């Protein structure tokens, strides 16, 4: 592909992403949480990513789910909106101040407090304390350099038909760009390459937001 063709494709993709964000929004509560995230140096999920998480949760109907990376609550609220009324989300983060903002957000959304269990600590440590095979869905939103060591602990938590969703796996074209050799891009690229060779996992990679990788244990 010529440089001119690549440039045109990049512009077209940018236009599509902008249109999708506008089409899938606005959402006053999520917009407020997103603004708060930016003010505190956090990276919230995009509107389209949030809508995708809500739809996935609605389709899966998880009674128990786990989120790594509470932030200010954008993905937290998106997941809870899609989960059944009896569903409980366990959300993990090291930033207790941001978690308080997430709690306020879900309160404003009218979600019962008992449906959100906030746990503070390093994800790798907290995941090991949760019951294996007890969760229907796990969403991981962490820096790509941390993802590698979270995959196995996250998969351990899933029941037979459970779904693992990993954010920040494409990095807005960074992973697909061979010139990009930054540590976070190489980490995401390495993770994708390693998982591609595992027959025990079914996988789908979607160019949504920063990239969503969905994994499920193979039943074949």
């Amino acid at each position: 592909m010529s440089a001119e063709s690549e440039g045109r494709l990049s512009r077209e993709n940018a236009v599509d992403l902008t249109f999708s964000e506008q089409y899938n929004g606005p959402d006053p509560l999520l917009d407020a949480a997103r603004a708060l995230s930016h003010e505190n140096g956090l990276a919230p999920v995009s509107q389209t990513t949030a809508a995708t998480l809500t739809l996935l949760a609605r389709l899966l109907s998880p009674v128990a789910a786990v989120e790594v990376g509470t932030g200010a609550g954008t993905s937290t609220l998106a997941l809870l909106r899609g989960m059944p009324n009896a569903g409980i989300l366990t959300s993990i983060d090291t930033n207790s101040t941001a978690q308080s903002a997430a709690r306020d957000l879900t309160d404003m959304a009218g979600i019962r407090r008992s449906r959100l269990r906030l746990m503070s600590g390093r994800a790798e440590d907290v995941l090991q304390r949760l019951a294996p095979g007890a969760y229907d869905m796990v969403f991981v939103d962490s820096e790509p350099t941390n993802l590698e060591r979270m995959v196995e602990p996250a998969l351990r938590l899933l029941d037979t038909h459970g779904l693992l969703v990993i954010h920040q796996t494409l990095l807005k074209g960074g992973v697909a760009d061979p010139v990009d050799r930054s540590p976070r891009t190489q980490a995401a690229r390495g993770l994708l390459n390693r998982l591609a060779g595992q027959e025990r996992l079914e996988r789908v990679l979607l160019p949504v937001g920063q990239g969503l990788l969905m994994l499920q244990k193979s039943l074949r």
Side-chain angles (χ1 to χ4, degrees), residues 65-206:
V66 174
E67 173 188 44
V68 174
T70 314
T74 50
S75 54
T76 309
L77 179 57
L79 289 166
L80 284 168
R81 280 175 167 175
M83 294 172 66
N85 289 333
I88 297 175
L89 176 64
T90 298
S91 189
I92 305 165
D93 207 307
T94 56
N95 189 332
S96 56
T97 300
Q99 284 190 321
S100 295
R103 173 69 76 184
D104 292 341
L105 178 69
T106 55
D107 285 347
M108 287 188 288
I111 293 172
R112 295 195 319 275
R113 287 203 154 209
S114 59
R115 293 190 56 207
L116 176 60
R117 179 172 65 152
L118 294 171
M119 299 185 72
S120 180
R122 293 174 67 250
E124 303 95 307
D125 299 331
V126 178
L127 289 174
Q128 294 292 348
R129 301 205 304 266
L130 300 179
Y135 297 87
D136 310 296
M137 183 178 183
V138 177
F139 173 62
V140 177
D141 186 9
S142 182
E143 268 298 301
T145 51
N146 298 328
L147 290 177
E148 185 77 35
R149 57 181 178 269
M150 292 186 195
V151 173
E152 291 304 325
L155 287 171
R156 167 184 163 273
L157 301 182
L158 294 174
D159 63 15
T160 305
H161 300 282
L163 183 69
L164 171 58
V165 182
I166 305 176
H167 190 224
Q168 299 197 67
T169 49
L170 286 175
L171 303 178
K172 292 186 176 180
V175 170
D177 181 3
V179 177
D180 190 335
R181 307 289 294 176
S182 66
R184 64 198 307 266
T185 299
Q186 291 199 79
R189 192 179 291 135
L191 176 68
L192 291 175
N193 289 338
R194 184 179 70 81
L195 292 174
Q198 297 200 18
E199 295 182 358
R200 67 188 178 108
L201 298 173
E202 303 286 350
R203 67 184 188 281
V204 176
L205 179 60
L206 298 178

